[in-house]
Amino acid sequence: MTLSTFPTLRSRGRHVSAAALLLAVLGLSGLPAAACEPVLAVEDGGRILLWQASGPAREVVEGGCAALDAAAERLAYCTRPAADTGQAVQLNVLPLAGGDAQRVHAGREGDAISEAAWSPDGSRLAFILTDARFRSHLMVVEPGSPARRLASATNAENHQWWSLGWLADGSAIGVHDMEHYALVAADGGGVRESIPLARMLGAQAETISSTDRVLPSPRDPTVFAYTLGVPGTARFRQAMHEPNTALFVHDRFLGRGKNLRLSAEHVTVVDAAWAPGGLALYFSGYLDRHVNEDDPFRVYRIERSGQGMRELLRGERVSAGCRAAPAGPP
């Protein structure tokens, strides 16, 4: 089984106070986020659906690499040109309150845009562009201005990057090449830090693939969510004949000892996104009981602690925003 739109280029074959320390361990640093209604953009069979708790999901556009801004006001997405003579794609921004989509970047023949992500303040849109020579470039665009390249993948054995995510303060953008996690300065200063994944994830880092995610928390600069291959249940192994994938949280401040698995053994995780505020995550995947279905993919929500997992809707890749809740009666 594969994601239906814009698949990755390689699949899995595969001194602080005591109070501050306690907050870091619990993942509760910072102030509570203001009340708002969660909004999700979910990909499903080449369509992008918009979901919010107050109503059913609705189709908004055809395309892939969907990315909501934090306020759920704009949707960035990729499309192929109508006259498709190569692998060129376009990156567009759609205002969700109404109006036409605006093209913000047009790729050349052979280009592929695999991921996009808005900066925390919504002023910039980052995306990964992989060219016809299979080399990835981290790009950033401000709507109304041309896209510019921030950095290019340099790993001699693997010239590609995956898993796009902004640091909470908007100063850098993270990507990985299956060996290192690179933090690229958003101001154009190049790679600010390159962290061996083994230092973050331990020996299990050897199993990381291009489909795996390493995502900075929007709340705590030391915390990252990540997905990684794990042994599946007997039922999963019998059906899939490959490793399963689980969702974890890593606290960089505490080191490898603070790698907490969130998803249960019978759950397969395909893609993940932080909820605004950083106290929960959304992920797409399926349960063991769905493994033999033609379309097993659902979107789930799970607390940062690993508790309270619940199914929300069908779909594959997921991006999350949070729209200001309507004011109540005076």
Side-chain angles (χ1 to χ4, degrees), residues 20 22-32 219-220 223 277-279 304:
L22 178 61
L23 288 171
V25 171
L26 297 177
L28 297 176
S29 57
L31 297 174
R219 184 182 186 89
D220 188 331
V223 173
L279 297 183
R304 160 71 174 79

Side-chain angles (χ1 to χ4, degrees), residues 24 32 40 47 90 124 144 156 177 181 183 195 247 255 286:
L40 304 181
R47 307 173 302 154
Q90 295 179 177
R124 291 161 292 173
D177 63 4
Y181 185 72
L183 288 171
I195 309 163
L247 178 63
Y286 47 88

Side-chain angles (χ1 to χ4, degrees), residues 160-180:
Q160 296 163 41
W161 273 333
W162 299 275
S163 189
L164 189 63
W166 288 78
L167 291 190
D169 63 3
S171 66
I173 306 159
V175 289
H176 78 72
D177 63 4
M178 299 189 291
E179 294 182 6
H180 293 80

Side-chain angles (χ1 to χ4, degrees), residues 127-168:
F127 60 98
I128 295 175
L129 183 147
T130 301
D131 62 27
R133 302 180 67 180
F134 300 103
R135 186 180 187 188
S136 293
H137 310 275
L138 180 57
M139 312 289 291
V140 69
V141 61
E142 299 178 26
S145 300
R148 57 191 177 93
R149 181 179 63 86
L150 294 181
S152 300
T154 58
N155 187 317
E157 296 182 359
N158 183 356
H159 297 44
Q160 296 163 41
W161 273 333
W162 299 275
S163 189
L164 189 63
W166 288 78
L167 291 190

Side-chain angles (χ1 to χ4, degrees), residues 231-243 265 288:
T233 63
R235 182 174 183 176
F236 181 90
R237 292 195 303 271
Q238 183 178 14
M240 303 302 291
H241 309 290
E242 64 181 21
E265 187 181 22
D288 270 10

